[in-house]
Amino acid sequence: MPLPYLQDLRHCAGHDLDGPLAHTRPALQRLKAAKGKGEYAFLDQPDRTDDLAAIEAAAARLRKFGAIVLLGTGGSSLGARTLAALVDGGAGFWPKGTPRLVVAENVDPFGFGKMLDTLDPADTGLLAVSKSGGTGETLAQMHAILPWLEKAGPLSARACAITEPTDNALSRLAGRHAIPILEHPPTLGGRYSVLSIVGLLPAAILGLDIRALRAGAAMARDAALDDPATSLPAHGAALAAALVHKGKRTTVLCPYVDALAPFGQWFAQLWAESLGKGGEGTTPIRALGTVDQHSQLQLWLDGPADKLITIVARDSRDAGPRFAADMLADGALDWLAGRTMGDLLDVSWRATAETLARHGRPVRILTIRTLDETTLGALLMHFMLETVIAADLFGVEPYHQPAVEDGKKLARAYMKGMGAKADNG
Amino acid sequence: MPLPYLQDLRHCAGHDLDGPLAHTRPALQRLKAAKGKGEYAFLDQPDRTDDLAAIEAAAARLRKFGAIVLLGTGGSSLGARTLAALVDGGAGFWPKGTPRLVVAENVDPFGFGKMLDTLDPADTGLLAVSKSGGTGETLAQMHAILPWLEKAGPLSARACAITEPTDNALSRLAGRHAIPILEHPPTLGGRYSVLSIVGLLPAAILGLDIRALRAGAAMARDAALDDPATSLPAHGAALAAALVHKGKRTTVLCPYVDALAPFGQWFAQLWAESLGKGGEGTTPIRALGTVDQHSQLQLWLDGPADKLITIVARDSRDAGPRFAADMLADGALDWLAGRTMGDLLDVSWRATAETLARHGRPVRILTIRTLDETTLGALLMHFMLETVIAADLFGVEPYHQPAVEDGKKLARAYMKGMGAKADNG
């Protein structure tokens, strides 16, 4: 079966990839040797079947609610958002009969209050996700939502927690409320967890084919580890390294697929947290075509020449409504006559790529035939592999995020310094 | 009346602002001299009252629908999104009894189809916005949606178009369907149009106080034009210029207010399109606290030292649910006991700012007491002024976007090159 995506580096020909590409070989060899051994947990998620029954049982229990509130942040939320976009198109267009996923990542009390105001506790299920079980935001949200949700009935029937199998604040809280706890794989970092229960339980609740997500990821992985010459993620990592040598330190991900907008958020975390260390890394920029042609494109074309632009495009020719010549009845629109909305999208990304190339801006194009679970699984694995291979080229450790711990400690210290409250109610 | 926002540059003290600040004087003088003369249309929108009756009449007509579809892209959509977030919290939490605003910016036929599938034409109003009247995306969307919407009744009662008063494709199309046309101010560029009918009609449909939006903007403007020493936008522009001299070419806007997430999108277009010219400009990065503490913060702290981080925070102390010590019942959460969700948000942004500063990263903090129309109007004007003042320092023309025209021409050429379609139906 052919890979469900292609990578086109034609517009990057001016940048010498051969050197960095050769340097990806040790990383590929290490990844290939580690496969199946649990050493890099993200690599082995696609082959798992041991967790499917638990995922599907929990999904069946939660699927009956009209809304599912997901409490979690960063790696605990962005994968679910990305997968859910297969259902809501990334824009909140939930089909009738499907639960809608409402993701609460922040602790803005005004935003959180607005969320609860629009939900009916009797028709709401809850999923709380924190690997460590100690994420302040998620615990605070839990304490805010549980009294509201409990009014509608026992939490055991309408809630679920995902955390690593340790005695932690989330597992203790869940235990006290008889909320079932599912296991976050303990060696799997949040930003690499989308193909574990962390992403797949929300996906299964929404009715997605979680086996196909994993199968697509396995396909992308298995095609990527043999040889730099044929490895698409190795080419992507080599491109990032080659461009850094030329001072290009920002990387734009611009899908021309509405449903891939959250994918850009997921990628931004993956890339930023994995590579942004010791002065290394490049800065991810989220974008979406065609709207960013009317927003950021001017800067990409004629601002600082410091960017790689990656376009992700789906074959959309002939798709969507066709513009009849007599309906247009307007000279200004002759160029649309007989074409479809999908044709317009198609020429838009092609023209943008070509224009960027003519301005000397490096453009990579990933194309997909369709957007389904298999394709999305493959894209997710592609970018996880590209990230860890790039980490090897940059000489950084991709699985930790040491700098952010300072801020967490400081927040707790600040809280202790706040004036004591008399009223704990 | 005091300004509804403050700017804190304490963590930028290491960067010499005095030089660039002195250079903002000519721009301030030019803006002040132009005020009221129509020379810079964005500057005079806050004082307009001549358009209020038309805006309010159109709003009253469209407000009766449960959903309003806004067709428009870039400057025609991002301002409306930003204002609408005062109602839906930026996350689709529409209160009962208010129309919800559905913004269609792209021509992804799959996304557009999903949107129509979730809407009821009988309960949908339409607003189409294109300054030139020739925006391909918006025209294509119009042709796709009109047959669907017309099934529910005459378009004259349920649709409205905003375009400049010329004979253009949108105005001709609207004319043929008896759709009322309102005037896009002809000298006002899209990315500066949020305080004109382009932003205010959607805002008025959603029940926002459009006079307060303008009053807040007027207040921010009038406080900004006298003297660099007291002008907050001049300080912001000087900071951008000072940092560019040190090679810091990315600028992060990170609100810790859910409802300001779309504001970040609006700012990104404003800054990128206005300044990204001739190799100049800096690259805007969208972010949102606290989720991006779990996503991009590692990169900001320890990746390339090329960023300014602007935090926008609302006073949230004591707001939201309070965590009772007995409910927590857990040693790991002692630090939350007696505190509120708003307290947690407050210490989060303060700790993040301090940690960034300790890592030598420049941080600017804008604080607001509350988020309402007055405050948002002031913030919008602040950043429009900061942008045009920065353009003066960078030596670029902020009101045009010449490079993107190449792509538009190429798209039309590509369309002509596509195989001819036999079937125009």
Side-chain angles (χ1 to χ4, degrees), chain A residues 87 108 114 172 258 269 278-279 283 294 302 307 328 330 339 419, chain B residues 87 108 114 172 176 258 269 278-279 283 294 302 307 328 330 339 419:
Chain A
V87 180
D108 178 338
K114 261 185 196 289
R172 289 194 294 273
D258 287 355
Q269 183 202 13
T283 299
H294 304 268
D302 199 32
K307 294 176 186 63
L328 296 165
D330 193 309
R339 308 306 186 185
Chain B
V87 180
D108 178 339
K114 262 185 195 288
R172 289 194 294 272
R176 283 203 303 281
D258 288 354
Q269 183 203 12
T283 299
H294 304 268
D302 199 32
K307 295 176 185 62
L328 295 167
D330 194 308
R339 309 304 186 185

PDB file of all heavy atoms in Angstrom, chain A residues 87 108 114 172 258 269 278-279 283 294 302 307 328 330 339 419, chain B residues 87 108 114 172 176 258 269 278-279 283 294 302 307 328 330 339 419:
ATOM      1  N   VAL A  87     -13.802  15.265  12.666  1.00  0.00           N
ATOM      2  CA  VAL A  87     -15.262  15.232  12.836  1.00  0.00           C
ATOM      3  C   VAL A  87     -15.875  16.631  12.670  1.00  0.00           C
ATOM      4  O   VAL A  87     -16.853  16.795  11.952  1.00  0.00           O
ATOM      5  CB  VAL A  87     -15.624  14.642  14.219  1.00  0.00           C
ATOM      6  CG1 VAL A  87     -17.142  14.610  14.405  1.00  0.00           C
ATOM      7  CG2 VAL A  87     -15.035  13.243  14.366  1.00  0.00           C
ATOM      8  N   ASP A 108      -8.692  30.573  32.756  1.00  0.00           N
ATOM      9  CA  ASP A 108      -9.360  31.868  32.728  1.00  0.00           C
ATOM     10  C   ASP A 108     -10.752  31.657  33.337  1.00  0.00           C
ATOM     11  O   ASP A 108     -11.597  30.979  32.749  1.00  0.00           O
ATOM     12  CB  ASP A 108      -9.461  32.348  31.276  1.00  0.00           C
ATOM     13  CG  ASP A 108     -10.192  33.674  31.147  1.00  0.00           C
ATOM     14  OD1 ASP A 108     -10.966  34.035  32.058  1.00  0.00           O
ATOM     15  OD2 ASP A 108      -9.995  34.334  30.118  1.00  0.00           O
ATOM     16  N   LYS A 114     -18.037  30.819  31.079  1.00  0.00           N
ATOM     17  CA  LYS A 114     -18.817  30.847  29.831  1.00  0.00           C
ATOM     18  C   LYS A 114     -19.054  29.428  29.329  1.00  0.00           C
ATOM     19  O   LYS A 114     -20.135  29.099  28.835  1.00  0.00           O
ATOM     20  CB  LYS A 114     -18.053  31.626  28.758  1.00  0.00           C
ATOM     21  CG  LYS A 114     -18.510  33.074  28.595  1.00  0.00           C
ATOM     22  CD  LYS A 114     -17.785  33.722  27.422  1.00  0.00           C
ATOM     23  CE  LYS A 114     -17.907  35.234  27.454  1.00  0.00           C
ATOM     24  NZ  LYS A 114     -19.260  35.737  27.133  1.00  0.00           N
ATOM     25  N   ARG A 172      -5.734  10.436  43.070  1.00  0.00           N
ATOM     26  CA  ARG A 172      -6.394  10.462  44.384  1.00  0.00           C
ATOM     27  C   ARG A 172      -7.751  11.161  44.297  1.00  0.00           C
ATOM     28  O   ARG A 172      -8.743  10.697  44.856  1.00  0.00           O
ATOM     29  CB  ARG A 172      -5.496  11.162  45.409  1.00  0.00           C
ATOM     30  CG  ARG A 172      -4.269  10.325  45.797  1.00  0.00           C
ATOM     31  CD  ARG A 172      -3.569  10.866  47.050  1.00  0.00           C
ATOM     32  NE  ARG A 172      -2.971  12.173  46.861  1.00  0.00           N
ATOM     33  CZ  ARG A 172      -1.731  12.397  46.389  1.00  0.00           C
ATOM     34  NH1 ARG A 172      -0.958  11.379  46.045  1.00  0.00           N
ATOM     35  NH2 ARG A 172      -1.278  13.617  46.268  1.00  0.00           N
ATOM     36  N   ASP A 258      -9.035  23.010   6.058  1.00  0.00           N
ATOM     37  CA  ASP A 258      -9.565  23.566   7.317  1.00  0.00           C
ATOM     38  C   ASP A 258      -9.374  22.603   8.481  1.00  0.00           C
ATOM     39  O   ASP A 258      -9.019  23.017   9.587  1.00  0.00           O
ATOM     40  CB  ASP A 258     -11.074  23.857   7.171  1.00  0.00           C
ATOM     41  CG  ASP A 258     -11.345  25.068   6.289  1.00  0.00           C
ATOM     42  OD1 ASP A 258     -10.382  25.741   5.863  1.00  0.00           O
ATOM     43  OD2 ASP A 258     -12.534  25.332   6.010  1.00  0.00           O
ATOM     44  N   GLN A 269       3.573  22.746  19.352  1.00  0.00           N
ATOM     45  CA  GLN A 269       4.085  22.270  20.640  1.00  0.00           C
ATOM     46  C   GLN A 269       5.207  21.260  20.452  1.00  0.00           C
ATOM     47  O   GLN A 269       6.260  21.330  21.085  1.00  0.00           O
ATOM     48  CB  GLN A 269       2.978  21.626  21.477  1.00  0.00           C
ATOM     49  CG  GLN A 269       3.523  21.189  22.853  1.00  0.00           C
ATOM     50  CD  GLN A 269       2.733  20.109  23.559  1.00  0.00           C
ATOM     51  OE1 GLN A 269       1.871  19.465  22.961  1.00  0.00           O
ATOM     52  NE2 GLN A 269       3.023  19.906  24.819  1.00  0.00           N
ATOM     53  N   GLY A 278      18.927  25.278  24.739  1.00  0.00           N
ATOM     54  CA  GLY A 278      20.327  25.679  24.605  1.00  0.00           C
ATOM     55  C   GLY A 278      20.568  26.611  23.431  1.00  0.00           C
ATOM     56  O   GLY A 278      21.627  26.582  22.805  1.00  0.00           O
ATOM     57  N   GLY A 279      19.580  27.447  23.136  1.00  0.00           N
ATOM     58  CA  GLY A 279      19.719  28.378  22.027  1.00  0.00           C
ATOM     59  C   GLY A 279      19.405  27.754  20.676  1.00  0.00           C
ATOM     60  O   GLY A 279      19.385  28.442  19.655  1.00  0.00           O
ATOM     61  N   THR A 283      11.490  28.381  15.301  1.00  0.00           N
ATOM     62  CA  THR A 283      10.199  28.798  15.855  1.00  0.00           C
ATOM     63  C   THR A 283       9.059  28.431  14.911  1.00  0.00           C
ATOM     64  O   THR A 283       9.036  28.886  13.766  1.00  0.00           O
ATOM     65  CB  THR A 283      10.204  30.314  16.111  1.00  0.00           C
ATOM     66  OG1 THR A 283      11.233  30.600  17.067  1.00  0.00           O
ATOM     67  CG2 THR A 283       8.869  30.785  16.643  1.00  0.00           C
ATOM     68  N   HIS A 294      -4.114  36.303   3.007  1.00  0.00           N
ATOM     69  CA  HIS A 294      -4.600  37.666   3.256  1.00  0.00           C
ATOM     70  C   HIS A 294      -4.132  38.172   4.612  1.00  0.00           C
ATOM     71  O   HIS A 294      -4.706  39.108   5.148  1.00  0.00           O
ATOM     72  CB  HIS A 294      -6.125  37.690   3.195  1.00  0.00           C
ATOM     73  CG  HIS A 294      -6.676  37.173   1.901  1.00  0.00           C
ATOM     74  ND1 HIS A 294      -6.943  37.986   0.839  1.00  0.00           N
ATOM     75  CD2 HIS A 294      -6.956  35.914   1.487  1.00  0.00           C
ATOM     76  CE1 HIS A 294      -7.387  37.262  -0.179  1.00  0.00           C
ATOM     77  NE2 HIS A 294      -7.402  36.000   0.194  1.00  0.00           N
ATOM     78  N   ASP A 302       8.124  39.009   1.427  1.00  0.00           N
ATOM     79  CA  ASP A 302       8.953  40.207   1.305  1.00  0.00           C
ATOM     80  C   ASP A 302       9.511  40.714   2.628  1.00  0.00           C
ATOM     81  O   ASP A 302      10.195  41.718   2.657  1.00  0.00           O
ATOM     82  CB  ASP A 302       8.113  41.312   0.633  1.00  0.00           C
ATOM     83  CG  ASP A 302       8.986  42.415   0.047  1.00  0.00           C
ATOM     84  OD1 ASP A 302      10.107  42.102  -0.395  1.00  0.00           O
ATOM     85  OD2 ASP A 302       8.550  43.583   0.054  1.00  0.00           O
ATOM     86  N   LYS A 307      12.448  32.126   6.822  1.00  0.00           N
ATOM     87  CA  LYS A 307      11.389  31.137   7.006  1.00  0.00           C
ATOM     88  C   LYS A 307      11.443  29.979   6.019  1.00  0.00           C
ATOM     89  O   LYS A 307      11.735  30.173   4.839  1.00  0.00           O
ATOM     90  CB  LYS A 307      10.018  31.804   6.851  1.00  0.00           C
ATOM     91  CG  LYS A 307       9.719  32.803   7.936  1.00  0.00           C
ATOM     92  CD  LYS A 307       8.406  33.524   7.711  1.00  0.00           C
ATOM     93  CE  LYS A 307       8.251  34.613   8.753  1.00  0.00           C
ATOM     94  NZ  LYS A 307       9.291  35.669   8.666  1.00  0.00           N
ATOM     95  N   LEU A 328     -22.603  33.281 -12.757  1.00  0.00           N
ATOM     96  CA  LEU A 328     -21.613  34.332 -12.528  1.00  0.00           C
ATOM     97  C   LEU A 328     -22.019  35.603 -13.270  1.00  0.00           C
ATOM     98  O   LEU A 328     -22.092  36.680 -12.697  1.00  0.00           O
ATOM     99  CB  LEU A 328     -20.236  33.863 -12.995  1.00  0.00           C
ATOM    100  CG  LEU A 328     -19.688  32.660 -12.215  1.00  0.00           C
ATOM    101  CD1 LEU A 328     -18.517  32.041 -12.959  1.00  0.00           C
ATOM    102  CD2 LEU A 328     -19.251  33.080 -10.822  1.00  0.00           C
ATOM    103  N   ASP A 330     -20.764  37.709 -15.096  1.00  0.00           N
ATOM    104  CA  ASP A 330     -19.981  38.857 -14.675  1.00  0.00           C
ATOM    105  C   ASP A 330     -18.564  38.715 -15.212  1.00  0.00           C
ATOM    106  O   ASP A 330     -17.862  37.779 -14.879  1.00  0.00           O
ATOM    107  CB  ASP A 330     -19.959  38.874 -13.145  1.00  0.00           C
ATOM    108  CG  ASP A 330     -19.448  40.202 -12.633  1.00  0.00           C
ATOM    109  OD1 ASP A 330     -18.372  40.635 -13.084  1.00  0.00           O
ATOM    110  OD2 ASP A 330     -20.139  40.796 -11.803  1.00  0.00           O
ATOM    111  N   ARG A 339     -15.539  26.219 -13.005  1.00  0.00           N
ATOM    112  CA  ARG A 339     -14.630  25.635 -12.009  1.00  0.00           C
ATOM    113  C   ARG A 339     -15.377  25.378 -10.709  1.00  0.00           C
ATOM    114  O   ARG A 339     -16.498  25.857 -10.507  1.00  0.00           O
ATOM    115  CB  ARG A 339     -13.461  26.588 -11.731  1.00  0.00           C
ATOM    116  CG  ARG A 339     -12.731  27.066 -12.962  1.00  0.00           C
ATOM    117  CD  ARG A 339     -12.257  25.926 -13.823  1.00  0.00           C
ATOM    118  NE  ARG A 339     -11.440  26.424 -14.928  1.00  0.00           N
ATOM    119  CZ  ARG A 339     -10.959  25.671 -15.901  1.00  0.00           C
ATOM    120  NH1 ARG A 339     -11.245  24.387 -15.947  1.00  0.00           N
ATOM    121  NH2 ARG A 339     -10.215  26.192 -16.844  1.00  0.00           N
ATOM    122  N   GLY A 419      -1.840  37.416  49.671  1.00  0.00           N
ATOM    123  CA  GLY A 419      -2.499  37.607  50.966  1.00  0.00           C
ATOM    124  C   GLY A 419      -3.384  36.411  51.297  1.00  0.00           C
ATOM    125  O   GLY A 419      -4.099  35.894  50.442  1.00  0.00           O
TER     126      GLY A 419
ATOM    127  N   VAL B  87     -18.401  38.014  23.093  1.00  0.00           N
ATOM    128  CA  VAL B  87     -19.665  37.315  23.316  1.00  0.00           C
ATOM    129  C   VAL B  87     -19.446  35.820  23.540  1.00  0.00           C
ATOM    130  O   VAL B  87     -19.977  35.244  24.492  1.00  0.00           O
ATOM    131  CB  VAL B  87     -20.628  37.543  22.129  1.00  0.00           C
ATOM    132  CG1 VAL B  87     -21.950  36.812  22.355  1.00  0.00           C
ATOM    133  CG2 VAL B  87     -20.860  39.034  21.925  1.00  0.00           C
ATOM    134  N   ASP B 108     -12.051  25.795   1.323  1.00  0.00           N
ATOM    135  CA  ASP B 108     -11.957  24.343   1.436  1.00  0.00           C
ATOM    136  C   ASP B 108     -13.368  23.788   1.246  1.00  0.00           C
ATOM    137  O   ASP B 108     -14.250  24.008   2.075  1.00  0.00           O
ATOM    138  CB  ASP B 108     -11.406  23.998   2.825  1.00  0.00           C
ATOM    139  CG  ASP B 108     -11.325  22.496   3.068  1.00  0.00           C
ATOM    140  OD1 ASP B 108     -12.034  21.736   2.363  1.00  0.00           O
ATOM    141  OD2 ASP B 108     -10.564  22.087   3.955  1.00  0.00           O
ATOM    142  N   LYS B 114     -19.208  21.095   5.442  1.00  0.00           N
ATOM    143  CA  LYS B 114     -19.500  20.783   6.844  1.00  0.00           C
ATOM    144  C   LYS B 114     -20.258  21.932   7.495  1.00  0.00           C
ATOM    145  O   LYS B 114     -21.178  21.724   8.284  1.00  0.00           O
ATOM    146  CB  LYS B 114     -18.195  20.562   7.620  1.00  0.00           C
ATOM    147  CG  LYS B 114     -17.801  19.101   7.781  1.00  0.00           C
ATOM    148  CD  LYS B 114     -16.562  18.979   8.671  1.00  0.00           C
ATOM    149  CE  LYS B 114     -15.920  17.614   8.571  1.00  0.00           C
ATOM    150  NZ  LYS B 114     -16.684  16.538   9.213  1.00  0.00           N
ATOM    151  N   ARG B 172     -22.295  43.961  -7.911  1.00  0.00           N
ATOM    152  CA  ARG B 172     -23.186  43.523  -9.001  1.00  0.00           C
ATOM    153  C   ARG B 172     -23.946  42.255  -8.608  1.00  0.00           C
ATOM    154  O   ARG B 172     -25.148  42.131  -8.840  1.00  0.00           O
ATOM    155  CB  ARG B 172     -22.379  43.287 -10.277  1.00  0.00           C
ATOM    156  CG  ARG B 172     -21.868  44.581 -10.918  1.00  0.00           C
ATOM    157  CD  ARG B 172     -21.363  44.369 -12.346  1.00  0.00           C
ATOM    158  NE  ARG B 172     -20.180  43.524 -12.416  1.00  0.00           N
ATOM    159  CZ  ARG B 172     -18.920  43.971 -12.324  1.00  0.00           C
ATOM    160  NH1 ARG B 172     -18.675  45.259 -12.154  1.00  0.00           N
ATOM    161  NH2 ARG B 172     -17.912  43.136 -12.409  1.00  0.00           N
ATOM    162  N   ARG B 176     -28.008  41.893  -8.221  1.00  0.00           N
ATOM    163  CA  ARG B 176     -28.853  40.928  -8.942  1.00  0.00           C
ATOM    164  C   ARG B 176     -29.751  40.135  -8.007  1.00  0.00           C
ATOM    165  O   ARG B 176     -30.791  39.634  -8.415  1.00  0.00           O
ATOM    166  CB  ARG B 176     -27.978  39.963  -9.749  1.00  0.00           C
ATOM    167  CG  ARG B 176     -27.427  40.547 -11.030  1.00  0.00           C
ATOM    168  CD  ARG B 176     -27.064  39.470 -12.051  1.00  0.00           C
ATOM    169  NE  ARG B 176     -26.104  38.508 -11.532  1.00  0.00           N
ATOM    170  CZ  ARG B 176     -24.789  38.732 -11.444  1.00  0.00           C
ATOM    171  NH1 ARG B 176     -24.279  39.880 -11.840  1.00  0.00           N
ATOM    172  NH2 ARG B 176     -23.990  37.806 -10.968  1.00  0.00           N
ATOM    173  N   ASP B 258      -8.843  34.129  27.590  1.00  0.00           N
ATOM    174  CA  ASP B 258      -9.359  33.293  26.500  1.00  0.00           C
ATOM    175  C   ASP B 258      -9.995  34.128  25.395  1.00  0.00           C
ATOM    176  O   ASP B 258      -9.799  33.871  24.207  1.00  0.00           O
ATOM    177  CB  ASP B 258     -10.412  32.307  27.024  1.00  0.00           C
ATOM    178  CG  ASP B 258      -9.800  31.186  27.858  1.00  0.00           C
ATOM    179  OD1 ASP B 258      -8.557  31.090  27.938  1.00  0.00           O
ATOM    180  OD2 ASP B 258     -10.586  30.406  28.439  1.00  0.00           O
ATOM    181  N   GLN B 269      -2.146  39.614  11.460  1.00  0.00           N
ATOM    182  CA  GLN B 269      -2.304  40.181  10.120  1.00  0.00           C
ATOM    183  C   GLN B 269      -1.832  41.621  10.076  1.00  0.00           C
ATOM    184  O   GLN B 269      -1.102  42.046   9.178  1.00  0.00           O
ATOM    185  CB  GLN B 269      -3.768  40.133   9.655  1.00  0.00           C
ATOM    186  CG  GLN B 269      -3.904  40.663   8.223  1.00  0.00           C
ATOM    187  CD  GLN B 269      -5.278  41.176   7.835  1.00  0.00           C
ATOM    188  OE1 GLN B 269      -6.145  41.356   8.683  1.00  0.00           O
ATOM    189  NE2 GLN B 269      -5.472  41.399   6.552  1.00  0.00           N
ATOM    190  N   GLY B 278      10.357  44.609   1.970  1.00  0.00           N
ATOM    191  CA  GLY B 278      11.750  44.966   1.698  1.00  0.00           C
ATOM    192  C   GLY B 278      12.722  44.355   2.685  1.00  0.00           C
ATOM    193  O   GLY B 278      13.741  44.952   3.020  1.00  0.00           O
ATOM    194  N   GLY B 279      12.396  43.152   3.175  1.00  0.00           N
ATOM    195  CA  GLY B 279      13.271  42.499   4.145  1.00  0.00           C
ATOM    196  C   GLY B 279      13.058  42.973   5.567  1.00  0.00           C
ATOM    197  O   GLY B 279      13.643  42.447   6.505  1.00  0.00           O
ATOM    198  N   THR B 283       8.280  38.918  12.797  1.00  0.00           N
ATOM    199  CA  THR B 283       7.270  37.883  12.584  1.00  0.00           C
ATOM    200  C   THR B 283       6.404  37.707  13.823  1.00  0.00           C
ATOM    201  O   THR B 283       6.918  37.389  14.889  1.00  0.00           O
ATOM    202  CB  THR B 283       7.956  36.557  12.225  1.00  0.00           C
ATOM    203  OG1 THR B 283       8.690  36.741  11.013  1.00  0.00           O
ATOM    204  CG2 THR B 283       6.944  35.440  12.047  1.00  0.00           C
ATOM    205  N   HIS B 294       2.600  25.261  28.243  1.00  0.00           N
ATOM    206  CA  HIS B 294       2.786  23.826  28.035  1.00  0.00           C
ATOM    207  C   HIS B 294       3.048  23.516  26.570  1.00  0.00           C
ATOM    208  O   HIS B 294       2.888  22.378  26.137  1.00  0.00           O
ATOM    209  CB  HIS B 294       1.558  23.059  28.513  1.00  0.00           C
ATOM    210  CG  HIS B 294       1.216  23.329  29.942  1.00  0.00           C
ATOM    211  ND1 HIS B 294       1.688  22.565  30.985  1.00  0.00           N
ATOM    212  CD2 HIS B 294       0.478  24.317  30.505  1.00  0.00           C
ATOM    213  CE1 HIS B 294       1.240  23.047  32.130  1.00  0.00           C
ATOM    214  NE2 HIS B 294       0.503  24.110  31.866  1.00  0.00           N
ATOM    215  N   ASP B 302      14.483  29.070  26.256  1.00  0.00           N
ATOM    216  CA  ASP B 302      15.796  28.447  26.081  1.00  0.00           C
ATOM    217  C   ASP B 302      16.150  28.199  24.614  1.00  0.00           C
ATOM    218  O   ASP B 302      17.200  27.655  24.320  1.00  0.00           O
ATOM    219  CB  ASP B 302      15.826  27.116  26.867  1.00  0.00           C
ATOM    220  CG  ASP B 302      17.246  26.639  27.118  1.00  0.00           C
ATOM    221  OD1 ASP B 302      18.140  27.494  27.267  1.00  0.00           O
ATOM    222  OD2 ASP B 302      17.457  25.406  27.142  1.00  0.00           O
ATOM    223  N   LYS B 307      13.200  36.766  20.427  1.00  0.00           N
ATOM    224  CA  LYS B 307      11.781  37.097  20.596  1.00  0.00           C
ATOM    225  C   LYS B 307      11.525  38.190  21.617  1.00  0.00           C
ATOM    226  O   LYS B 307      12.176  38.254  22.658  1.00  0.00           O
ATOM    227  CB  LYS B 307      11.021  35.850  21.060  1.00  0.00           C
ATOM    228  CG  LYS B 307      10.992  34.739  20.041  1.00  0.00           C
ATOM    229  CD  LYS B 307      10.315  33.494  20.559  1.00  0.00           C
ATOM    230  CE  LYS B 307      10.429  32.381  19.527  1.00  0.00           C
ATOM    231  NZ  LYS B 307      11.830  31.984  19.242  1.00  0.00           N
ATOM    232  N   LEU B 328      -9.976  19.897  48.577  1.00  0.00           N
ATOM    233  CA  LEU B 328      -8.699  19.459  48.015  1.00  0.00           C
ATOM    234  C   LEU B 328      -8.210  18.204  48.739  1.00  0.00           C
ATOM    235  O   LEU B 328      -7.878  17.210  48.118  1.00  0.00           O
ATOM    236  CB  LEU B 328      -7.663  20.580  48.141  1.00  0.00           C
ATOM    237  CG  LEU B 328      -7.993  21.824  47.320  1.00  0.00           C
ATOM    238  CD1 LEU B 328      -7.116  22.978  47.737  1.00  0.00           C
ATOM    239  CD2 LEU B 328      -7.815  21.555  45.833  1.00  0.00           C
ATOM    240  N   ASP B 330      -5.650  17.133  50.033  1.00  0.00           N
ATOM    241  CA  ASP B 330      -4.551  16.500  49.331  1.00  0.00           C
ATOM    242  C   ASP B 330      -3.302  17.370  49.467  1.00  0.00           C
ATOM    243  O   ASP B 330      -3.279  18.503  49.039  1.00  0.00           O
ATOM    244  CB  ASP B 330      -4.926  16.371  47.854  1.00  0.00           C
ATOM    245  CG  ASP B 330      -3.985  15.435  47.133  1.00  0.00           C
ATOM    246  OD1 ASP B 330      -2.755  15.620  47.234  1.00  0.00           O
ATOM    247  OD2 ASP B 330      -4.492  14.513  46.483  1.00  0.00           O
ATOM    248  N   ARG B 339      -7.521  29.519  47.436  1.00  0.00           N
ATOM    249  CA  ARG B 339      -7.317  30.400  46.281  1.00  0.00           C
ATOM    250  C   ARG B 339      -8.415  30.163  45.246  1.00  0.00           C
ATOM    251  O   ARG B 339      -9.146  29.172  45.304  1.00  0.00           O
ATOM    252  CB  ARG B 339      -5.959  30.145  45.624  1.00  0.00           C
ATOM    253  CG  ARG B 339      -4.789  30.163  46.576  1.00  0.00           C
ATOM    254  CD  ARG B 339      -4.716  31.463  47.357  1.00  0.00           C
ATOM    255  NE  ARG B 339      -3.504  31.495  48.162  1.00  0.00           N
ATOM    256  CZ  ARG B 339      -3.223  32.463  49.019  1.00  0.00           C
ATOM    257  NH1 ARG B 339      -4.068  33.452  49.222  1.00  0.00           N
ATOM    258  NH2 ARG B 339      -2.104  32.423  49.703  1.00  0.00           N
ATOM    259  N   GLY B 419      -7.510  22.071 -17.253  1.00  0.00           N
ATOM    260  CA  GLY B 419      -8.283  21.477 -18.335  1.00  0.00           C
ATOM    261  C   GLY B 419      -9.698  22.044 -18.356  1.00  0.00           C
ATOM    262  O   GLY B 419     -10.319  22.189 -17.324  1.00  0.00           O
TER     263      GLY B 419
END
